[in-house]
Amino acid sequence: MTLYGYFRSGTSHRTRIALNLKGLDYDAISINLAKDEQSEPLFKAINPQGLVPALQTDDLLLYQSPAILEWLEEVYPHNPLLPKDAAGRMQVRALSAMIGCDIHPINNRRILQYLRNELSVDEDEVLAWCQRWIAEGFAALETLLAKDEARGKFCYGNSPTFADCYLIPQVYSARRFKVDLTPYPHIMAIDEHCRTLQAFFDADPMNQPDAPH
């Protein structure tokens, strides 16, 4: 498999985590978002939406990280990232969607570039925008995590799931945007634990070949 992504892309980050947790090998091709390589015809021929990640298998091109994670779970059921029961799967998918639908999209590069270039928003206001929506989403997520008395060291249960694949990149992004993370002890504990695991360590943005060194 070949993963087209970018070291700091949250969606690429979550996909790397899932691939690593599944123990799957892949080649990485960097699409430099800072240089707008995702908008060039060469990459748009691969993904017309011009977004990373894209995952190329022998006979299939996958795009949109939620769909990629679901495909990985179906095709490679070992090291499952979803619970066995319907209620558990609902909970994991809901936690994932809180991040993937309600936090990440309004803080990604396309939105921030529009704020800067089209609306002439200054950098302090852009930072405040990011902090506002991450903090609001994390507050709700923290409440749900605190209520789950059966939860272990992960977002759900005692093993990593989709929700952790989504959360750890969002915490990385929150640090980039200087969000005060002290109000979220459960999120911080999950992040600290996950980052001790090899799959998460290897997926970390700063451990990617295209990261600045």
Side-chain angles (χ1 to χ4, degrees):
M1 291 187 286
T2 300
L3 179 67
Y4 297 87
Y6 184 56
F7 80 101
R8 205 163 57 189
S9 155
T11 51
S12 301
H13 188 177
R14 72 176 67 134
T15 304
R16 292 194 301 266
I17 294 171
L19 286 162
N20 292 348
L21 287 169
K22 292 286 186 183
L24 299 172
D25 293 327
Y26 60 93
D27 296 320
I29 294 181
S30 175
I31 305 299
N32 192 324
L33 303 188
K35 296 181 179 180
D36 288 324
E37 289 180 354
Q38 75 281 4
S39 300
E40 295 178 1
L42 187 64
F43 183 66
K44 281 209 164 182
I46 297 169
N47 182 2
Q49 198 176 11
L51 297 175
V52 293
L55 184 67
Q56 179 68 64
T57 71
D58 288 338
D59 57 359
L60 187 65
L61 178 67
L62 298 94
Y63 43 91
Q64 286 290 344
S65 60
I68 294 174
L69 265 63
E70 293 282 355
W71 181 87
L72 290 171
E73 185 72 359
E74 291 182 19
V75 177
Y76 300 98
H78 60 279
N79 302 333
L81 300 177
L82 284 173
K84 293 181 179 180
D85 62 296
R89 291 194 299 273
M90 180 283 301
Q91 179 73 0
V92 166
R93 286 179 170 127
L95 294 173
S96 301
M98 289 175 67
I99 298 165
C101 298
D102 298 328
I103 301 177
H104 173 267
I106 52 177
N107 290 286
N108 71 13
R109 189 173 186 275
R110 288 191 305 166
I111 300 301
L112 303 188
Q113 289 297 86
Y114 186 83
L115 292 175
R116 293 176 179 119
N117 300 331
E118 304 297 327
L119 301 182
S120 300
V121 174
D122 67 37
E123 285 303 312
D124 287 342
E125 291 174 309
V126 169
L127 188 64
W129 168 279
C130 296
Q131 292 171 344
R132 157 71 187 274
W133 299 115
I134 294 173
E136 183 174 294
F138 273 13
L141 185 62
E142 178 73 14
T143 299
L144 290 172
L145 294 172
K147 287 182 176 179
D148 185 357
E149 296 180 356
R151 186 178 60 82
K153 294 183 177 181
F154 299 95
C155 287
Y156 182 89
N158 295 294
S159 61
T161 66
F162 284 177
D164 304 288
C165 297
Y166 278 76
L167 177 63
I168 303 313
Q170 193 60 60
V171 173
Y172 175 88
S173 180
R175 291 192 174 101
R176 279 186 58 219
F177 294 124
K178 300 179 174 61
V179 175
D180 179 11
L181 296 172
T182 54
Y184 319 114
H186 293 87
I187 290 175
M188 289 297 91
I190 293 167
D191 178 67
E192 182 177 359
H193 176 67
C194 285
R195 288 189 296 113
T196 67
L197 304 179
Q198 195 67 43
F200 289 86
F201 178 84
D202 290 344
D204 187 270
M206 300 312 297
N207 293 330
Q208 304 314 303
D210 58 335
H213 295 97

